[in-house]
Amino acid sequence: MNPRLVRLLMVAGGAVALAGALGWGYVALYERPAAQLRDDIESLTGQKGDYETALLEESRVRRELEEIVAGAVHADRDSLEHRLRTASATLAFDAGLTRLEINSLPPRALGNPAGQARGIRERSFQRSLRDRIDASEARVVVSGEGTLESVLRALALADAQRWTLGVDSWSIKPARLEEGKPAVFKLSMTLTALVVDDGGSIAGEITIDPLDDRVQGQLASVVLADPFKTALAPQPVVVQAPPPPLPPKTEPPPPPPPGAGWRLAGVLKGETGQYAIVVHENGRRRTLALGEEVGGLRLADLLGEVATFEANDERFEVRNGELLAAARGRERR
């Protein structure tokens, strides 16, 4: 082989080896550490932003924590149950409830919420908080009776107190419904209070805060609407029918004319005198002597088959078989 060619190949191989060594050295000694540094800088920049955000939120978080503590009850174990029962009874009494019954339930321990939170990088710190008890919940069951306004006011007062976490559960049942009296309901509700050892929490007697005007207005509107429909049914309105109209006045019928209904049936003449036989339309029969009356007519005279009757100053003749009333008014011949 040509010696000059061999030298050229050796020089080219050395150059390639040198370039590879330089490339490896650049990556190992510069590029890889630089990339790691860039990642660290980016991570630190992100953490710096988180720290800055946390610092900006610190005042807000601290204020919220102070408000939570201010609304919690101080954990004075000797008087805690008595204080909560007294406050609950006062609340129910102020609302207008009667027949009160106050019962305490066993408190429930509350762990630190950070012990169960996600996203915390320091696992050892989170494990140390997991079993830490920072507060507890004390529960009181309040029962009583009252009007619809009283039971709704008791619920509103319980929800408005800063020392309660609200009303866990409640029920309203009718107790007494009597005619002419407001309906009475039985209320049962469970109140929960946050109990802490921190300074600034409510110590001593627990006061009852009144309802503000907005809640008062809402309460009045709900009572007026009566969602339970407890208003007594109105008494039925009795409508008296007008009296029937009086029958029209009618003039009494005129009295029958003298002799009405009687008919001359015959004339008799005997040893004892003269007689006229008259028959009524109902079948009744009479024998009249001179001077006797029938139907207001007096027999005055008899001649053959004609009888003369008188009525007051009027005289008229009745023929045999003729009605006495029909012959009246005819002049005597």
Side-chain angles (χ1 to χ4, degrees), residues 190-268:
T190 303
L191 309 184
T192 302
L194 180 66
V195 181
V196 298
D197 291 316
D198 302 65
S201 55
I202 301 174
E205 181 182 358
I206 302 174
T207 59
I208 305 301
D209 299 326
L211 298 177
D212 57 32
D213 293 340
R214 180 184 61 84
V215 178
Q216 291 273 23
Q218 293 176 344
L219 178 64
S221 63
V222 172
V223 172
L224 183 62
D226 193 4
F228 296 98
K229 303 301 180 187
T230 60
L232 295 174
Q235 294 295 328
V237 178
V238 178
V239 179
Q240 295 183 348
L246 297 175
K249 292 184 178 181
T250 57
E251 295 295 334
W262 290 97
R263 179 175 55 85
L264 182 62
V267 178
L268 296 176

Side-chain angles (χ1 to χ4, degrees), residues 63-92:
R63 184 173 61 254
E64 292 179 354
L65 290 175
E66 290 175 352
E67 291 177 355
I68 293 175
V69 172
V73 180
H74 194 271
D76 182 357
R77 298 297 187 271
D78 295 334
S79 63
L80 175 63
E81 181 177 349
H82 170 73
R83 291 158 60 207
L84 289 175
R85 288 168 63 94
T86 301
S88 301
T90 303
L91 181 150

